[in-house]
Amino acid sequence: MWNLPHGPLHADMYAYTMALAHFRKGDHDTPTTYHAFVRKNPFGGSYTLVAGIHDFLRWLRDFRFTDYRTDYLASLKTMKGNRLFDDAFLKMVRDTPLSLTIDALPEGELTFPNVPVARVSGPQWQCLIVEATLLNLINAQSLVATEASRCVHAAEGTPVIDGSLRRSMDVGGYASARAAFIGGFSGTSNVAVARALGLPARGTFAHAYVTFHKEEETAFRNYAETMDDVVMLLDTYDTLTAARLATRICKELGKPLLGVRLDSGDLGWLSLEVRRILDEAGFRDTYVMASNDLNPRTIASLRAQQKAGEAAIDRWMVGTDIGAPHEGGALGGVYKLAEVAGRPVIKVAERGVSAADTKTTIPGPYGVVRMLRDKDGRERIAGDTLLSLDTLGRVTGWGATDKLTSPDNGRFQLTSDLVSVNLADPERPTKFRAGQLCYVPHRRMMTRGDIVYEMPSLDEIQAFARTGLDRLDPAHRRLDQPHIYVAGLDEGLYEMRRRMIRDIHLSHQ
């Protein structure tokens, strides 16, 4: 398996200093609940595609304070030169088994602002230690999976391949290649990740292969003579001349020309001219691949040119935009405390420049019900409602909330009316009536430290993601000014949050 982060030292320092402070006051084992969620969707879009949860679970398998880990903690000093972590604390972390319970969205599921990607419950000190790795893994992979899904949507059914290794911001390109596949890519140029994850390995050749030879014809001939799959890069010198050369050499050798790649210039016009040369030479089945800093918008533009008869591209290789998505930058997933020993808690933030710009959290452990509807003969998701776990048990008819997901994660009907309040427009709530078809997207992943979730294969995750994306209304998938998908609060949760905010403000005056 790929060398993922391992062990509980993969954490922010403040998690350990807080755990130490709790330990010295005797409240480190207090039961708490945290939510990991995104505050806003990346790329100005209306959704986030979840990825990285499986790697977080794999990391938890190695949550052990071995001697070399505690030895390192024992070596740390305060600014005064004293030991930071005492022997009693180190003995506690070494001797205490992991006992977290985690409910999370499965990989390939969609999430929206404030919807918990993961709900983590357990001793306060353990909840603190896992924060950084959870966010590290889901933020990076969910960002890339979301952008990959946008590329695939723009490509309109034509294959998209990952070529991000050289530009990837993670060492080895593992997260980029894995998440891109979840988002719908059909293969990767990253050989090590292809081997580790069983992904299709794809590649052609670079300009260096051509410039190594004194003549482009020699390079093409040598490559065609030695390879079963002949795919030629055409733009080292002159694209159209190279296209004619490639067809002539393959004809002379009696070899099929599987494809050609264009990596510079006016990709629309060049692809059309190359397509004409290929067809006239009898290579009608040869595909034309485009690369060169592609992203969803450039792919969408070239697809629009193709519909107008101004381009002829069959597949795409995306590198920089997957390895380091420049438009999204980073996914702002956060991890916030919601409950302490059964008591709901809230973080009330100062308002930003905009009145709507707030980091105020939602109190108490809560879940989500995702509504379904039929539109134009297709099943669509029609909005999320966040609600306390007690309310979740009531509207689903499950009663007890110790089982927070349906047995088969299937559809069910609301047992009573549900009023959903949009935080951005609270004066216009939405009522979902009893009988409304919906589902609960969360799955139980871990129970008191034991992984209970059977992780599906990447192929299954990709298919699951495709199904979920197809259930989004097309208006939510627009690259520019997408229709906003609403995740509202049940009116009971909304009122509790409003009262807590009011009471806190009054108490601090």
Side-chain angles (χ1 to χ4, degrees), residues 384-417:
D384 284 13
T385 299
L386 310 178
L387 62 180
S388 72
L389 298 185
D390 287 338
T391 305
L392 178 65
R394 173 175 59 80
V395 301
T396 59
W398 300 338
T401 57
D402 59 337
K403 192 166 194 175
L404 303 177
T405 60
S406 56
D408 59 358
N409 208 57
R411 298 163 178 77
F412 64 91
Q413 294 179 326
L414 293 180
T415 60
S416 59
D417 292 352

Side-chain angles (χ1 to χ4, degrees), residues 118-176:
R119 181 172 49 248
V120 181
S121 300
Q124 166 72 342
W125 76 271
Q126 292 185 354
C127 288
L128 290 171
I129 299 299
V130 303
E131 173 191 4
T133 295
L134 173 60
L135 294 181
N136 175 229
L137 292 171
I138 65 172
N139 278 343
Q141 293 195 37
S142 298
L143 179 75
V144 173
T146 303
E147 182 71 337
S149 74
R150 286 157 45 87
C151 289
V152 170
H153 184 61
E156 300 178 311
T158 51
V160 187
I161 298 167
D162 162 53
S164 65
L165 175 57
R166 289 168 295 162
R167 311 291 173 84
S168 180
M169 295 181 70
D170 70 295
V171 176
Y174 167 87
S176 300

Side-chain angles (χ1 to χ4, degrees), residues 170-463:
D170 70 295
V171 176
Y174 167 87
S176 300
R178 183 181 188 275
F181 190 79
I182 290 174
F185 278 28
S186 59
T188 179
S189 67
N190 191 326
V191 179
V193 174
R195 175 187 176 275
L197 300 180
L199 305 183
R202 298 287 183 263
T204 58
F205 62 72
H207 299 107
Y209 185 79
V210 176
T211 56
F212 173 88
H213 298 84
K214 291 183 178 180
E215 301 290 340
E216 187 172 44
E217 178 170 354
T218 306
F220 280 16
R221 189 175 296 279
N222 287 351
Y223 195 80
E225 287 176 343
T226 56
M227 302 297 293
D228 285 339
D229 297 332
V230 181
V231 181
M232 300 290 196
L233 176 62
L234 299 183
D235 68 312
T236 304
Y237 303 123
D238 181 272
T239 298
L240 302 187
T241 299
R244 297 185 184 94
L245 182 61
T247 58
R248 177 170 63 81
I249 289 173
C250 285
K251 273 189 173 182
E252 291 173 359
L253 297 175
K255 296 287 290 283
L257 180 57
L258 183 63
V260 296
R261 180 163 70 97
L262 311 179
D263 192 50
S264 62
D266 184 338
L267 296 177
W269 182 83
L270 285 171
S271 67
L272 200 63
E273 291 299 304
V274 168
R275 180 77 270 163
R276 179 181 59 79
I277 292 169
L278 293 171
D279 289 349
E280 289 177 354
F283 291 91
R284 296 184 178 277
D285 295 329
T286 300
Y287 66 74
V288 178
M289 173 188 287
S291 51
N292 189 29
D293 285 340
L294 298 177
N295 59 53
R297 286 185 169 81
T298 55
I299 294 172
S301 174
L302 287 163
R303 288 295 297 170
Q305 293 175 47
Q306 191 146 337
K307 292 173 184 176
E310 298 170 358
I313 300 171
D314 305 298
R315 57 190 65 194
W316 319 81
M317 177 170 278
V318 182
T320 303
D321 192 54
I322 291 299
H326 60 282
E327 185 182 349
L331 182 62
V334 295
Y335 183 83
K336 298 300 178 182
L337 180 62
E339 183 184 59
V340 177
R343 172 177 58 89
V345 299
I346 188 172
K347 191 268 189 203
V348 179
E350 298 287 354
R351 294 194 181 276
V353 176
S354 165
D357 180 20
T358 175
K359 293 183 176 181
T360 299
T361 60
I362 298 171
Y366 61 91
V368 61
V369 171
R370 185 157 292 169
M371 309 302 172
L372 299 168
R373 66 171 174 168
D374 183 81
K375 181 180 180 181
D376 301 327
R378 298 189 63 177
E379 184 178 78
R380 303 287 188 188
I381 56 175
D384 284 13
T385 299
L386 310 178
L387 62 180
S388 72
L389 298 185
D390 287 338
T391 305
L392 178 65
R394 173 175 59 80
V395 301
T396 59
W398 300 338
T401 57
D402 59 337
K403 192 166 194 175
L404 303 177
T405 60
S406 56
D408 59 358
N409 208 57
R411 298 163 178 77
F412 64 91
Q413 294 179 326
L414 293 180
T415 60
S416 59
D417 292 352
L418 191 63
V419 175
S420 186
V421 181
N422 182 356
L423 287 176
D425 191 10
E427 303 304 317
R428 295 195 295 176
T430 301
K431 177 181 281 190
F432 296 101
R433 299 191 179 277
Q436 166 72 45
L437 190 65
C438 53
Y439 75 102
V440 174
H442 288 101
R443 310 280 179 93
R444 174 59 56 88
M445 303 280 177
M446 172 174 281
T447 300
R448 294 182 293 278
D450 292 327
I451 296 174
V452 296
Y453 179 64
E454 185 175 343
M455 290 179 267
S457 69
L458 276 180
D459 285 330
E460 291 170 326
I461 296 169
Q462 186 189 72

